[in-house]
Amino acid sequence: MNLNFNKKSVFVQIVCLLFILLFVYAAVSKLLDFENFTVQLAQSPLLSAHASWVSIFVPAAELFTVLLLLIPRHRIKGLYCCLNLMIMFTVYIFIVLHYSSFVPCSCGGVLAKMSWNAHLLFNILFVVLAILAIAWKNCHRKSKAFAEYVYEMKWIGGSFCFSVLTVLLLFLSSEKIMHNDNPFIRRYPIHPAEFIYDVDLKFNSYYFSGSTGSTIYLGNFTSPSRILAINENNKKEKIFNITFDPKDIPFRAVTIAVRDSTFYLSDGSVPAVFSGRIKDWKITNEFKGVPYFTKVVPLDSKSIVFRSNNAKNSANVLGIFDAESNTKIQYKRNLLQGQIDGIFDTDGSLLYSSEQKKIIYLYLYRNEFIVADRNGDLSYRGHTIDTIKHVKIKVASIKNDMERMISSPSYPVNAKAAVCSNLLFVNSKIKGRFENSRLWEQSYIIDVYDIKKNIYLLSFPVYHTGKEKLSGFLVTPTNLYALIGNRISVYKLNEAIKKEMQPK
């Protein structure tokens, strides 16, 4: 550059050099690690939905700005580009710190080790430098007309308005897309759920029955009448035995569920549902007249929601059993919608949120879930963020069309699920865009949805060692419990998740 010994002119030359160094380093760093840069943008609470094109635009804009600064006759244009970019970066960080749903990890490159507040101060400093450089660009001239200063101030003001509005529009549009029309991009906030300890159960035959207060309960498939209780606070374990004389009931697949102060013993092959109080673990009540079922979830001490094969061609159907109603059984045949056979293609998880009084049914092989009120009336049909709209299975008939089975490899989408208040937690089996393969090899991914707002919120990993499978998980207002093999991994729910939970 041709340095002029006028102090203001020298200042402008130095500012241009600083911007050239900054943008060259930043752009080259992004391009050398382009995949990681794109992943970082995908995790941004402002730019997630626009990560594909923003990851190309930003380094391209930085290098274009450098080119303008290197050409003397275009240097003023380059300084305006510097101003626009730095204002955009500054507004971006301000929104991240004050208005976004979470604060992501710091970006890479020259500012990798700075905190977000340090980023903000750094950017403000360069905004000021750009404004001064623009104002003093033609300072070598003996005089400068007042109209020229006004003209420059208008352009500087226009740059501010343009840059701020651009980032605001990107933020608002990205939030709308991510929450409602997600293009299969997961958001991983910093430690929304943090591992705190695990418990060795010795056996892998346990399953989650439920929780009350600070205690979680686990049933055991090999010892159906035995319940293991674990206190969340002190980790103490206690075993309870259910008092019950089944007489000649041909039980084959007993499961225990705990809701509030009541426990429920059920077996759909009998069919039978019994209940009692957890204070003494004695059976005191029978739900007489329940139909055969393949899944059941208690709603309260007098009613249950169930899934049976009572529909046409033995297809799955949801129903409500109310012991105090004149018509005890009501089938809700419009809820489950088949795509192939109505059996395998409608398989899934049946859940109930007592806080929201909502029934949730999550399909196993496609990106859909159903939310209904406690009477079984449809509230809405929601979708998980993956793109599997149609089940990828083939069904074959055997034994003269008396039995059916899946004849090709199945592709589960939503493997496991749990609900706590208004939040639906889903163990997804489908890898999203811009995601690290190593993360999927080392963990199970949990996606979180708000069933009250019908939006996707965030995702987080539950790590595992070895080849043990996730057999189920339970969520309380404070913790997430994951059954992996014969161990329970306990994760503490942090503010990113807790603030999304709503009371009754």
Side-chain angles (χ1 to χ4, degrees), residues 247-261:
K247 297 180 181 179
D248 297 325
I249 300 175
F251 287 118
R252 285 190 291 177
V254 172
T255 57
I256 308 296
V258 176
R259 185 175 301 285
D260 299 324
S261 59

Side-chain angles (χ1 to χ4, degrees), residues 361-380:
Y361 191 87
L362 176 71
Y363 288 109
L364 174 62
Y365 294 110
R366 53 176 138 150
N367 66 346
E368 186 178 344
F369 61 90
I370 300 163
V371 177
D373 62 25
R374 57 171 292 116
N375 296 317
D377 296 324
L378 180 68
S379 296
Y380 67 87

Side-chain angles (χ1 to χ4, degrees), residues 61-236:
E62 290 172 336
L63 292 176
F64 177 72
T65 300
V66 169
L67 181 63
L68 292 177
L69 292 174
L70 290 172
I71 302 173
R73 64 195 181 98
H74 294 307
R75 194 159 293 152
I76 188 66
K77 297 176 183 176
L79 287 171
Y80 274 110
C81 287
C82 291
L83 179 62
N84 281 324
L85 287 174
M86 295 312 298
I87 293 173
M88 287 181 185
F89 296 157
T90 303
V91 174
Y92 168 81
I93 294 175
F94 183 81
I95 293 176
V96 164
L97 290 174
H98 295 91
Y99 298 101
S100 69
S101 54
F102 65 93
V103 178
C105 297
S106 287
C107 60
V110 69
L111 305 179
K113 296 183 179 180
M114 284 188 182
S115 67
W116 281 98
N117 286 316
H119 279 217
L120 186 63
L121 293 175
F122 182 91
N123 287 356
I124 290 173
L125 171 63
F126 271 80
V127 168
V128 173
L129 290 177
I131 292 174
L132 291 175
I134 290 171
W136 293 346
K137 174 64 177 67
N138 297 318
C139 59
H140 59 278
R141 287 159 47 182
K142 291 183 179 180
S143 62
K144 196 172 183 179
F146 177 75
E148 291 183 72
Y149 283 109
V150 173
Y151 179 78
E152 286 178 352
M153 289 304 103
K154 285 182 178 180
W155 272 96
I156 291 172
S159 296
F160 267 94
C161 293
F162 171 78
S163 302
V164 171
L165 286 174
T166 298
V167 177
L168 284 176
L169 288 174
L170 286 173
F171 169 57
L172 294 174
S173 64
S174 180
E175 285 295 279
K176 181 180 182 299
I177 292 171
M178 288 297 295
H179 288 314
N180 299 288
D181 305 300
N182 190 290
F184 205 7
I185 299 174
R186 286 189 172 90
R187 283 181 168 177
Y188 295 94
I190 302 175
H191 306 307
E194 184 178 0
F195 175 80
I196 48 179
Y197 66 89
D198 65 1
V199 178
D200 188 356
L201 299 175
K202 309 299 182 185
F203 304 100
N204 62 1
S205 53
Y206 284 98
Y207 62 91
F208 288 114
S209 293
S211 65
T212 58
S214 60
T215 304
I216 65 167
Y217 299 93
L218 295 100
N220 193 317
F221 289 115
T222 58
S223 300
S225 62
R226 178 171 290 189
I227 298 295
L228 174 63
I230 302 177
N231 189 284
E232 285 186 318
N233 301 322
N234 56 28
K235 308 176 192 176
K236 287 187 177 181

Side-chain angles (χ1 to χ4, degrees), residues 453-469:
K453 298 178 181 177
N454 188 19
I455 59 173
Y456 162 75
L457 294 174
L458 54 90
S459 301
F460 62 92
V462 170
Y463 290 95
H464 62 80
T465 56
K467 297 181 179 179
E468 299 288 355
K469 292 185 177 181

Side-chain angles (χ1 to χ4, degrees), residues 270-422:
V270 175
V273 178
F274 299 89
S275 66
R277 310 292 287 181
I278 63 174
K279 65 179 181 180
D280 55 15
W281 295 96
K282 291 182 179 179
I283 295 291
T284 57
N285 180 55
E286 179 182 1
F287 288 68
K288 295 181 179 180
V290 294
Y292 288 94
F293 57 83
T294 53
K295 287 183 182 291
V296 66
V297 174
L299 302 178
D300 55 38
S301 60
K302 299 295 182 182
S303 58
I304 59 174
V305 57
F306 63 89
R307 189 191 74 184
S308 75
N309 299 120
N310 193 280
K312 185 179 179 180
N313 296 323
S314 300
N316 288 323
V317 62
L318 295 181
I320 305 293
F321 177 89
D322 187 346
E324 295 184 339
S325 174
N326 292 329
T327 54
K328 291 184 178 181
I329 303 171
Q330 292 188 41
Y331 289 101
K332 302 297 178 177
R333 301 187 184 278
N334 65 318
L335 291 180
L336 297 185
Q337 296 180 336
Q339 293 182 345
I340 297 176
D341 66 338
I343 302 174
F344 295 106
D345 60 351
T346 57
D347 196 7
S349 302
L350 179 60
L351 308 163
Y352 178 66
S353 171
S354 56
E355 295 85 0
Q356 301 297 320
K357 299 188 183 303
K358 293 293 184 181
I359 298 166
I360 303 102
Y361 191 87
L362 176 71
Y363 288 109
L364 174 62
Y365 294 110
R366 53 176 138 150
N367 66 346
E368 186 178 344
F369 61 90
I370 300 163
V371 177
D373 62 25
R374 57 171 292 116
N375 296 317
D377 296 324
L378 180 68
S379 296
Y380 67 87
R381 297 183 187 275
H383 291 87
T384 53
I385 60 174
D386 59 89
T387 57
I388 313 299
K389 293 182 179 180
H390 299 281
V391 297
K392 295 183 178 181
I393 60 174
K394 291 183 179 179
V395 179
S397 299
I398 59 176
K399 295 183 179 180
N400 296 322
D401 207 25
M402 296 298 292
E403 293 184 13
R404 298 178 189 178
M405 61 181 295
I406 296 178
S407 61
S408 64
S410 59
Y411 297 93
V413 175
N414 304 306
K416 307 292 180 183
V419 65
C420 184
S421 188
N422 60 304

